[in-house]
Amino acid sequence: ILFRGKHGKCAHEFIVDLRPFKRSAGVSEEDVAKRLQDYGFHSPTMSWPVPGTLMIEPTESEDLNELDRFADAMLAIRDEIKAIEQGEIDYADSPLKHAPHTLLDISSQNWNRKYSRETAVTPLPYVRANKFWPTVGRVDNVHGDRNLICTCAPVEEYAASDI
């Protein structure tokens, strides 16, 4: 955790530095953010304000059980990174590289991954009871940021309406 106070505490948000995992296992902040979707969590803010990090912002609306589930997910993801570091699985074949996993991914006749479908979509027991299904897999975020496509109606339609 970056930016701790003088007593080792952090504020209502904190920044997790994932840069060492890029060096040790090839795992990026995007990999972890996308894998969190398989655990049922919305991806946190990536690389802001520090590149290679995640900004985690639990709020007063999250109960202790939800915070515990998030901590369990982060610990399980750390174990997935260790498996890459220890050579148990190659990064290119890992759940982290292929996250998030969609319903279409796992219902396909073709499953050529080196990990099970269960590992892909229900990595911890609590996920099975309340599965969140990402609708799309990995996309090229940089391309999307640089090539924004608006699917809104033309501005003239809004100007002409009686709202």
Side-chain angles (χ1 to χ4, degrees):
I1 295 179
L2 297 178
F3 311 121
R4 293 178 192 253
K6 65 181 178 180
H7 300 291
K9 307 263 186 209
C10 58
H12 70 283
E13 60 190 27
F14 55 95
I15 298 171
V16 179
D17 188 357
L18 300 174
R19 293 173 292 187
F21 301 133
K22 184 70 171 173
R23 291 186 291 275
S24 68
V27 174
S28 71
E29 71 282 0
E30 183 176 4
D31 296 325
V32 174
K34 301 297 184 185
R35 186 65 172 140
L36 277 167
Q37 291 181 27
D38 290 330
Y39 285 85
F41 294 97
H42 186 275
S43 294
T45 302
M46 294 184 290
S47 291
W48 189 89
V50 179
T53 65
L54 295 179
M55 181 184 290
I56 311 297
E57 302 179 76
T59 66
E60 295 82 7
S61 63
E62 304 299 338
D63 65 19
L64 182 58
N65 288 333
E66 186 71 359
L67 295 174
D68 286 345
R69 282 189 292 276
F70 184 79
D72 289 343
M74 292 297 283
L75 291 169
I77 290 170
R78 177 61 181 111
D79 287 343
E80 293 176 0
I81 294 169
K82 279 182 191 169
I84 296 167
E85 291 170 330
Q86 295 171 352
E88 296 169 23
I89 189 167
D90 187 68
Y91 166 73
D93 298 322
S94 72
L96 283 154
K97 171 65 177 164
H98 295 285
H101 298 85
T102 66
L103 183 59
L104 184 60
D105 285 336
I106 66 129
S107 61
S108 169
Q109 292 289 337
N110 254 346
W111 182 259
N112 58 0
R113 309 278 168 83
K114 297 196 175 177
Y115 52 92
S116 70
R117 294 173 199 239
E118 184 176 25
T119 296
V121 298
T122 54
L124 288 176
Y126 74 81
V127 178
R128 188 177 294 277
N130 193 20
K131 178 65 183 165
F132 165 80
W133 288 101
T135 55
V136 296
R138 192 74 63 107
V139 297
D140 183 342
N141 291 331
V142 173
H143 177 82
D145 290 346
R146 292 183 178 155
N147 300 280
L148 184 63
I149 298 171
C150 181
T151 59
C152 304
V155 174
E156 294 78 20
E157 277 190 40
Y158 295 105
S161 71
D162 293 332
I163 298 179

Coordinates of all heavy atoms in Angstrom, one line a residue, residues 2 15-19 29 45-55:
L2 N 0.7 2.1 -0.9 CA 1.4 3.4 -1.0 C 0.8 4.4 -0.1 O -0.4 4.3 0.2 CB 1.4 3.9 -2.5 CG 2.1 3.0 -3.5 CD1 2.0 3.7 -4.9 CD2 3.6 2.8 -3.2
I15 N -4.0 3.0 -2.2 CA -3.4 2.6 -3.5 C -2.6 1.3 -3.3 O -1.7 1.3 -2.5 CB -2.6 3.7 -4.1 CG1 -3.5 5.0 -4.3 CG2 -1.9 3.3 -5.3 CD1 -2.8 6.2 -4.7
V16 N -2.9 0.3 -4.1 CA -2.1 -0.9 -4.0 C -1.1 -0.9 -5.2 O -1.5 -0.8 -6.3 CB -3.1 -2.2 -4.1 CG1 -2.3 -3.5 -4.1 CG2 -4.1 -2.1 -3.0
D17 N 0.1 -1.1 -4.8 CA 1.2 -1.0 -5.8 C 1.4 -2.4 -6.4 O 1.9 -3.3 -5.7 CB 2.5 -0.5 -5.1 CG 3.6 -0.3 -6.1 OD1 3.4 -0.5 -7.3 OD2 4.7 0.2 -5.7
L18 N 1.1 -2.6 -7.7 CA 1.2 -3.9 -8.3 C 2.5 -4.0 -9.2 O 2.7 -5.0 -9.9 CB 0.0 -4.2 -9.1 CG -1.3 -4.2 -8.3 CD1 -2.5 -4.4 -9.2 CD2 -1.3 -5.4 -7.3
R19 N 3.3 -2.9 -9.3 CA 4.4 -2.9 -10.2 C 5.4 -4.1 -9.9 O 5.9 -4.6 -10.9 CB 5.1 -1.5 -10.1 CG 4.2 -0.4 -10.7 CD 4.8 0.9 -10.4 NE 4.8 1.3 -9.0 CZ 5.1 2.4 -8.5 NH1 5.5 3.4 -9.3 NH2 5.1 2.6 -7.2
E29 N -1.6 -4.3 -13.5 CA -2.8 -3.8 -12.8 C -4.1 -4.1 -13.5 O -5.1 -4.4 -12.9 CB -2.7 -2.3 -12.5 CG -2.9 -1.4 -13.7 CD -1.6 -1.3 -14.6 OE1 -0.6 -1.9 -14.3 OE2 -1.7 -0.5 -15.6
T45 N -10.2 1.6 -9.9 CA -9.5 2.6 -10.7 C -8.1 2.1 -11.0 O -7.4 1.7 -10.0 CB -9.5 4.0 -10.0 OG1 -10.8 4.4 -9.8 CG2 -8.7 5.0 -10.8
M46 N -7.6 2.1 -12.2 CA -6.3 1.6 -12.6 C -5.4 2.8 -12.9 O -5.8 3.7 -13.6 CB -6.4 0.7 -13.8 CG -7.1 -0.6 -13.6 SD -7.1 -1.6 -15.1 CE -8.1 -0.7 -16.2
S47 N -4.1 2.6 -12.4 CA -3.0 3.5 -12.8 C -3.3 5.0 -12.5 O -2.8 5.9 -13.3 CB -2.6 3.3 -14.2 OG -2.0 2.0 -14.3
W48 N -4.1 5.3 -11.5 CA -4.3 6.7 -11.2 C -4.4 6.8 -9.7 O -5.1 6.0 -9.0 CB -5.6 7.3 -11.8 CG -5.7 8.7 -11.6 CD1 -5.2 9.7 -12.4 CD2 -6.2 9.4 -10.4 NE1 -5.4 10.9 -11.9 CE2 -6.1 10.8 -10.7 CE3 -6.8 9.0 -9.3 CZ2 -6.5 11.8 -9.8 CZ3 -7.3 10.0 -8.4 CH2 -7.1 11.3 -8.6
P49 N -3.6 7.6 -9.1 CA -2.8 8.6 -9.6 C -1.3 8.1 -9.9 O -0.5 8.9 -10.4 CB -2.7 9.7 -8.6 CG -2.9 9.0 -7.3 CD -3.8 7.8 -7.6
V50 N -1.1 6.9 -9.6 CA 0.2 6.3 -9.9 C 0.1 5.1 -10.9 O -0.6 4.2 -10.7 CB 0.8 5.8 -8.5 CG1 2.2 5.1 -8.7 CG2 0.9 6.8 -7.5
P51 N 0.9 5.2 -12.0 CA 0.9 4.1 -12.9 C 1.2 2.7 -12.3 O 2.1 2.7 -11.3 CB 2.0 4.5 -13.9 CG 2.1 6.0 -13.8 CD 1.9 6.3 -12.3
G52 N 0.6 1.7 -12.7 CA 0.9 0.3 -12.2 C 0.2 0.0 -10.9 O 0.6 -0.9 -10.2
T53 N -0.8 0.8 -10.5 CA -1.4 0.6 -9.2 C -3.0 0.5 -9.4 O -3.5 0.8 -10.5 CB -1.2 1.8 -8.3 OG1 -1.8 3.0 -8.8 CG2 0.3 2.0 -8.1
L54 N -3.6 0.1 -8.3 CA -5.1 0.1 -8.2 C -5.5 1.0 -7.1 O -4.8 0.9 -6.0 CB -5.6 -1.3 -8.0 CG -5.5 -2.3 -9.0 CD1 -6.1 -3.7 -8.6 CD2 -6.1 -1.9 -10.4
M55 N -6.5 1.8 -7.3 CA -7.0 2.6 -6.2 C -8.2 1.9 -5.7 O -9.2 1.8 -6.4 CB -7.3 4.1 -6.6 CG -7.9 4.9 -5.4 SD -8.4 6.5 -5.8 CE -6.9 7.3 -6.2

